[in-house]
Amino acid sequence: MTDGKHNNALSAAYAATRPDEVAAVYDRWAQTYDADMSAAGYRHPTICLALLARYLPRGAEPLLDAGAGTGLIGEWLAITGYPRVEALDISQGMLDRATAKGVYTALHRLALGGPLPFADGYYAGIVSAGVFTSGHVGIEGLDELIRICRPGGIIVLTVKNTLWQGGFADRIAELEAQGAITRLEETRPYASMPGEGDTVPSRGLVLRVG
């Protein structure tokens, strides 16, 4: 995509170094985010939905959309048979847009990367699209997602290659060796936004907890 406003917003999001900076970028972007990402050919939500549906039975609940944004995945989860989905995002502006869609049973304004106020093993499945990327959340956000997903539950996430090569792959291997997770699927690297100039690829992962 060549729209300058979108490029500026995306660049600012990647360049952010503190959670409050990330939140501010997305608060400003919330009104046009859906249209901008559609124009950029944003692939993460579609790929995550396909992977989740492959491994998590219809009707499984509750689910957590971790980094829900405006609710792109939440809309599709409701359509495809997952009736109870909660949203988590750092940006109140994004959550306001998600609220208006009426597809989440609860919304939580929280940052990934630190402790989360959810019980061990609470969620049947977790999806996190476009969150483990530049300027957002690194490997420090993974262990909490594993903790709050029930044994046998499914976590679907995308990881940008810079993070994958910067320690994420090693941590996944460690967790597998410890028996904390099983890697059910790992996609080949792909461009998350073909319409953007940022060509650093990402990959999708499917993890089973325990």
Side-chain angles (χ1 to χ4, degrees), residues 164-175:
W164 184 255
Q165 296 159 0
F168 210 102
D170 292 340
R171 181 58 179 156
I172 291 291
E174 289 174 3
L175 290 165

Side-chain angles (χ1 to χ4, degrees), residues 84-107:
R84 187 177 163 208
V85 184
E86 300 181 11
L88 179 156
D89 202 87
I90 195 172
S91 163
Q92 187 60 52
M94 290 288 195
L95 288 175
D96 289 345
R97 299 287 288 178
T99 300
K101 295 177 180 179
V103 295
Y104 293 109
T105 55
L107 296 99

Side-chain angles (χ1 to χ4, degrees), residues 124-207:
I126 298 172
V127 60
S128 188
V131 175
F132 291 93
T133 187
S134 305
H136 290 55
V137 181
I139 189 63
E140 71 279 356
L142 181 61
D143 284 13
E144 272 291 271
L145 295 186
I146 293 170
R147 179 188 67 78
I148 64 176
C149 189
R150 68 186 55 158
I154 298 297
I155 300 175
V156 176
L157 55 110
T158 63
V159 184
K160 196 167 186 178
N161 264 11
T162 47
L163 270 68
W164 184 255
Q165 296 159 0
F168 210 102
D170 292 340
R171 181 58 179 156
I172 291 291
E174 289 174 3
L175 290 165
E176 284 185 292
Q178 295 165 8
I181 59 169
T182 301
R183 184 174 358 190
L184 299 179
E185 187 166 345
E186 177 184 332
T187 73
R188 66 184 184 185
Y190 62 90
S192 61
M193 288 178 281
E196 276 292 336
D198 178 7
T199 57
V200 176
S202 301
R203 72 194 64 212
L205 289 176
V206 183
L207 310 175

Side-chain angles (χ1 to χ4, degrees), residues 12-163:
Y14 285 162
T17 58
R18 300 193 316 270
D20 61 322
E21 292 177 346
V22 175
V25 169
Y26 282 102
D27 285 345
R28 293 191 297 269
W29 195 2
Q31 293 299 315
T32 62
Y33 181 85
D34 284 6
D36 289 344
M37 297 307 267
S38 177
Y42 188 45
R43 291 172 168 174
H44 282 333
T46 308
I47 290 169
C48 284
L49 181 68
L51 292 172
L52 187 73
R54 183 176 295 166
Y55 294 98
L56 191 67
R58 283 170 55 90
E61 61 175 57
L63 273 59
L64 179 67
D65 186 354
T70 60
L72 291 174
I73 293 179
E75 291 183 86
W76 300 340
L77 288 171
I79 293 167
T80 53
Y82 300 97
R84 187 177 163 208
V85 184
E86 300 181 11
L88 179 156
D89 202 87
I90 195 172
S91 163
Q92 187 60 52
M94 290 288 195
L95 288 175
D96 289 345
R97 299 287 288 178
T99 300
K101 295 177 180 179
V103 295
Y104 293 109
T105 55
L107 296 99
H108 310 278
R109 185 176 181 272
L110 296 166
L112 293 176
L116 296 173
F118 307 118
D120 293 357
Y122 181 72
Y123 292 103
I126 298 172
V127 60
S128 188
V131 175
F132 291 93
T133 187
S134 305
H136 290 55
V137 181
I139 189 63
E140 71 279 356
L142 181 61
D143 284 13
E144 272 291 271
L145 295 186
I146 293 170
R147 179 188 67 78
I148 64 176
C149 189
R150 68 186 55 158
I154 298 297
I155 300 175
V156 176
L157 55 110
T158 63
V159 184
K160 196 167 186 178
N161 264 11
T162 47
L163 270 68

